[in-house]
Amino acid sequence: MKYIKLFLYYLYSTYFCMRYLPFSQAKKLPILIHPSVKIRRLHKGDIVINGKIWKSMISIGFEGTIGRCNQKTLIYVNRGGHIVFNGYACISKGCRMVVYQGNLTFGAKLTFNGDCFFSCYDDITFGNDIICGWNTSFLTTNGHTVIIGGKERKMDAPITIGNHVWIGSDSVINKNVNVASNCIISHYSFVVNNLDEENCIYGGHPAKRIKENADWKH
């Protein structure tokens, strides 16, 4: 049964790569995708892979932590938007990549646990060596216009995450936020402001610096 499943996974992944990637990349089968992943508004060229390409360098829709992958995996890309990969990436079951406009860019050596949500009305950019816990949201829009003192606030703004960042589960990263490299964001954090200092632990509602001179490893 295990080998039959693997055969079906690779068969569907071959179809997916051939349909959505340039042939020169698709023939190397760089994306291993689960057949249950829901595809909406995805066109050839919407997924971009930069740099060296190898077999199954990107996996999408397979189970992460058992019991924590409860949503339906989704890829949704409007015309003009892109999902960009720059190296190895693991996007677990239940993650929803919704790109209305702008680019959702993943660096190299990334792992996102189950049920993460990427709402991309503006650019979301991840550096290299990122680990993200389950049920974390990245939100680039308010969803509705906010008016302060009679003036409309900008509804959409980008998110940028540096290199070697560990984001704890059930966190929310809001629009117009930059997270410095070599940081840890603790579980259940609500990030609404820039986290500018490297080698720090941040957490809370809203997230603020908890400890300095911090680091982490796999």
Side-chain angles (χ1 to χ4, degrees):
M1 182 63 70
K2 176 183 176 181
Y3 294 106
I4 293 174
K5 283 186 176 180
L6 284 174
F7 172 77
L8 293 175
Y9 294 158
Y10 277 107
L11 184 64
Y12 179 74
S13 297
T14 300
Y15 161 77
F16 179 89
C17 289
M18 288 296 178
R19 180 169 181 178
Y20 296 112
L21 298 177
F23 178 75
S24 60
Q25 296 183 342
K27 66 183 182 180
K28 298 180 181 179
L29 198 63
I31 299 177
L32 182 64
I33 185 168
H34 197 281
S36 67
V37 175
K38 189 173 183 179
I39 308 296
R40 293 184 60 191
R41 294 200 178 195
L42 187 63
H43 314 90
K44 200 175 190 74
D46 289 349
I47 295 178
V48 178
I49 304 177
N50 296 319
K52 183 180 178 181
I53 294 178
W54 64 93
K55 184 178 179 181
S56 303
M57 63 183 283
I58 300 159
S59 67
I60 301 173
F62 294 89
E63 192 166 43
T65 299
I66 295 174
R68 292 291 185 174
C69 305
N70 301 311
Q71 302 292 329
K72 187 80 171 178
T73 314
L74 170 66
I75 300 175
Y76 177 107
V77 183
N78 265 336
R79 287 281 190 187
H82 296 91
I83 299 175
V84 182
F85 293 98
N86 292 304
Y88 168 82
C90 175
I91 314 293
S92 297
K93 179 183 175 183
C95 288
R96 289 139 291 153
M97 294 175 279
V98 181
V99 182
Y100 291 98
Q101 55 189 347
N103 293 329
L104 173 56
T105 302
F106 298 102
K109 196 180 177 185
L110 309 182
T111 301
F112 291 87
N113 213 325
D115 297 344
C116 289
F117 178 47
F118 309 89
S119 178
C120 194
Y121 285 80
D122 205 321
D123 292 343
I124 301 176
T125 305
F126 295 95
N128 301 324
D129 194 21
I130 306 289
I131 290 181
C132 185
W134 57 79
N135 198 38
T136 293
S137 296
F138 301 87
L139 310 175
T140 60
T141 184
N142 294 334
H144 302 280
T145 302
V146 175
I147 303 170
I148 304 294
K151 295 183 178 180
E152 292 187 3
R153 294 291 185 91
K154 187 178 180 183
M155 193 164 65
D156 311 323
I159 294 171
T160 303
I161 311 295
N163 299 315
H164 191 62
V165 176
W166 176 12
I167 303 171
S169 59
D170 293 294
S171 294
V172 176
I173 315 297
N174 277 277
K175 67 168 194 169
N176 201 30
V177 161
N178 294 319
V179 176
S181 297
N182 307 311
C183 288
I184 301 169
I185 299 175
S186 66
H187 301 302
Y188 297 99
S189 292
F190 190 69
V191 183
V192 295
N193 300 306
N194 289 340
L195 307 181
D196 292 323
E197 294 187 50
E198 295 187 3
N199 296 104
C200 290
I201 300 176
Y202 295 96
H205 293 71
K208 60 182 180 180
R209 187 180 64 207
I210 297 173
K211 291 186 181 294
E212 300 176 346
N213 299 318
D215 202 353
W216 65 275
K217 62 182 179 179
H218 297 274

